[in-house]
């Protein structure tokens, strides 16, 4: 089996590449042309995968990529995925995260419509939630340009599935974290800061809304679900999460407790880190994914937080040495 992963250098892409290699796949990764290349998340498997240059902004490059690699499965994980950036760069976010999906689907339709495709949808599409918990049938009400773009990507995948018979699945993933998460995301910002505060390399951690609640899971668990979705007889969409909700404050408390510190002495809130429109409560109804895919997350919330803090402590200690 051959698989093509867009966004292979990201958190999810790196875990997914590891999983597919363990299952005997030949793995291709799409990377954008850049003057500086950052492959730190996949350096340990770089000799086992094949990287190819293409761009979601360029239709022809997507067509040529699929012709050249001839994949059985495509996992579209590439996007402008940082929510705050989507307000500063809403048009670019739309080009990558929305229209980029259309370009990829068009390439599949034109080259080989039998390719199975996974589209990374997001719980941010639920936004100002209409019901709690959120299932595959919950209406979308996105509250950021990123959420809007993801909703477009989700529905265009459904449209190509229904119009052209393409095996296109969307995984509506709730927040998923790991030691490989970018430091711009609040969870990694917290774990990195806790490690540096513990080692005396930082005095304060500044955050936005501590009461925002999310359904947080481990990215390493979630990539298994992506693969499972493409192994079913029929394509469909699935909500993927833990079914539990936790606040940013809880994440902070567990992280500081893990290193024996009182978070209240080190954490301050700043208006500049508040979203223009907040998504207050996201929690997944994973009934369908449990029943159809026989999937459930393995790593618990507190274990995830501690794993991230331990990893960042190790990174900081290496730098001191």
């Amino acid at each position: 089996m051959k698989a093509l992963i867009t966004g292979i250098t990201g958190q999810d892409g790196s875990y997914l590449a590891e999983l597919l290699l363990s299952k005997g796949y030949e793995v291709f990764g799409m990377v954008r042309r850049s003057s500086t290349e950052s492959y730190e998340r996949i350096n340990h498997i770089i000799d086992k995968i094949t990287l190819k240059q293409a761009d979601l902004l360029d239709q022809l490059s997507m067509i040529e990529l699929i012709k050249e690699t001839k994949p059985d499965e495509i996992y579209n994980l590439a996007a402008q995925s940082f929510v705050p950036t989507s307000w500063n760069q809403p048009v670019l976010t739309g080009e990558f995260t929305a229209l980029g999906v259309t370009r990829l689907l068009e390439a599949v339709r034109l080259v080989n419509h039998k390719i199975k495709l996974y589209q990374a949808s997001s719980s941010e599409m639920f936004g100002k939630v209409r019901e709690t918990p959120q299932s595959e049938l919950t209406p979308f009400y996105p509250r950021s340009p990123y959420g809007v773009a993801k909703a477009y990507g989700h529905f265009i995948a459904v449209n190509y599935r229904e119009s052209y018979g393409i095996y296109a699945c969307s995984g509506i993933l709730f927040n998923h974290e790991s030691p490989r998460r970018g430091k711009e995301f609040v969870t990694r910002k917290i774990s990195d800061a806790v490690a540096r505060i513990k080692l005396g390399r930082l005095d304060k951690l500044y955050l936005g809304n501590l009461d925002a609640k999310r359904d947080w899971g481990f990215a390493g668990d979630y990539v298994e679900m992506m693969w499972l979705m493409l192994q079913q007889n029929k394509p469909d969409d699935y909500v993927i999460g833990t079914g539990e909700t936790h606040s940013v404050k809880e994440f902070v408390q567990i992280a500081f407790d893990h290193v024996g510190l009182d978070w209240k002495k080190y954490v301050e809130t700043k208006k500049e880190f508040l979203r223009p429109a907040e998504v207050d409560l996201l929690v997944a109804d994973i009934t369908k994914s449990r029943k159809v895919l026989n999937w459930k997350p393995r790593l618990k919330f507190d274990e995830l937080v501690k794993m991230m803090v331990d990893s960042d402590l190790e990174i900081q200690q290496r730098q001191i040495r």
Side-chain angles (χ1 to χ4, degrees):
M1 292 285 285
K2 294 181 180 181
L4 170 64
I5 304 173
T6 74
I8 194 168
T9 60
Q11 169 188 256
D12 295 5
S14 64
Y15 281 113
L16 178 61
E18 289 174 351
L19 176 72
L20 295 178
L21 286 170
S22 75
K23 294 182 179 297
Y25 277 67
E26 182 178 358
V27 177
F28 296 91
M30 187 190 90
V31 292
R32 300 180 68 205
R33 174 74 182 91
S34 174
S35 56
T36 57
E37 296 175 339
S38 177
Y39 298 152
E40 64 175 302
R41 294 185 182 96
I42 55 170
N43 271 336
H44 62 295
I45 54 170
I46 200 84
D47 59 336
K48 299 176 183 176
I49 60 180
T50 304
L51 299 180
K52 295 287 185 180
Q53 286 186 1
D55 200 313
L56 286 176
L57 301 185
D58 182 59
Q59 180 72 74
L60 185 59
S61 73
M62 301 306 302
I63 292 170
E64 291 301 319
L65 176 65
I66 292 174
K67 282 182 178 178
E68 188 179 348
T69 57
K70 297 182 174 62
D72 300 290
E73 299 171 355
I74 297 176
Y75 296 85
N76 184 36
L77 310 184
Q80 190 303 99
S81 60
F82 188 45
V83 176
T85 297
S86 74
W87 274 290
N88 297 328
Q89 299 180 328
V91 176
L92 185 67
T93 299
E95 287 286 352
F96 274 117
T97 309
L99 292 178
V101 185
T102 313
R103 295 186 189 100
L104 182 54
L105 285 162
E106 269 295 279
V108 169
R109 184 179 73 85
L110 293 169
V111 178
N112 178 7
H113 73 280
K114 292 184 178 180
I115 295 171
K116 292 184 175 183
L117 184 138
Y118 170 83
Q119 165 59 19
S121 290
S122 168
S123 61
E124 288 286 332
M125 301 186 304
F126 294 122
K128 190 176 181 179
V129 297
R130 306 292 188 90
E131 63 182 14
T132 300
Q134 294 89 47
S135 74
E136 293 80 5
L137 300 178
T138 302
F140 298 147
Y141 194 143
R143 297 267 279 172
S144 68
Y146 170 76
V148 172
K150 276 294 185 184
Y152 176 100
H154 177 86
F155 279 124
I156 201 68
V158 171
N159 193 259
Y160 271 65
R161 179 171 74 211
E162 295 178 351
S163 301
Y164 300 115
I166 290 173
Y167 192 114
C169 295
S170 283
I172 305 173
L173 268 66
F174 281 65
N175 294 62
H176 46 292
E177 317 298 323
S178 76
R180 300 179 192 175
R181 192 55 138 159
K183 291 182 183 178
E184 70 272 23
F185 290 88
V186 68
T187 50
R188 183 73 194 287
K189 180 181 178 180
I190 293 167
S191 63
D192 175 66
V194 167
R196 289 193 286 153
I197 289 169
K198 177 63 177 177
L199 297 173
R201 308 185 78 185
L202 187 71
D203 297 322
K204 288 285 183 181
L205 168 60
Y206 298 101
L207 296 170
N209 182 10
L210 295 179
D211 295 321
K213 292 183 177 180
R214 296 289 185 274
D215 184 328
W216 274 302
F218 174 47
D221 288 344
Y222 286 27
V223 296
E224 181 186 9
M225 170 281 313
M226 299 176 187
W227 176 77
L228 282 170
M229 286 174 61
L230 297 194
Q231 312 314 310
Q232 306 306 306
N233 292 327
K234 294 192 298 183
D236 206 346
D237 306 321
Y238 299 87
V239 161
I240 303 297
T242 68
E244 298 178 6
T245 185
H246 299 276
S247 66
V248 174
K249 188 183 293 182
E250 284 179 77
F251 197 108
V252 167
Q253 187 169 356
I254 292 171
F256 276 95
D257 284 350
H258 187 52
V259 296
L261 296 176
D262 180 359
W263 70 272
K264 293 176 184 175
K265 295 179 180 178
Y266 303 98
V267 177
E268 292 183 14
T269 56
K270 274 193 172 183
K271 284 186 178 179
E272 65 191 83
F273 295 123
L274 296 174
R275 292 184 179 188
E278 181 58 90
V279 177
D280 294 312
L281 176 59
L282 291 173
V283 57
D285 179 346
I286 56 174
T287 304
K288 183 177 175 181
S289 57
R290 279 180 182 271
K291 182 179 179 182
V292 180
L293 304 178
N294 194 28
W295 177 90
K296 62 180 180 180
R298 287 184 286 270
L299 200 68
K300 297 186 184 304
F301 176 70
D302 63 329
E303 295 171 339
L304 171 64
V305 179
K306 292 171 185 176
M307 171 202 281
M308 293 177 67
V309 171
D310 287 341
S311 173
D312 278 318
L313 272 171
E314 189 179 322
I315 290 169
Q316 291 298 322
Q317 286 166 340
R318 280 204 305 268
Q319 291 175 0
I320 292 172
R321 293 191 208 113

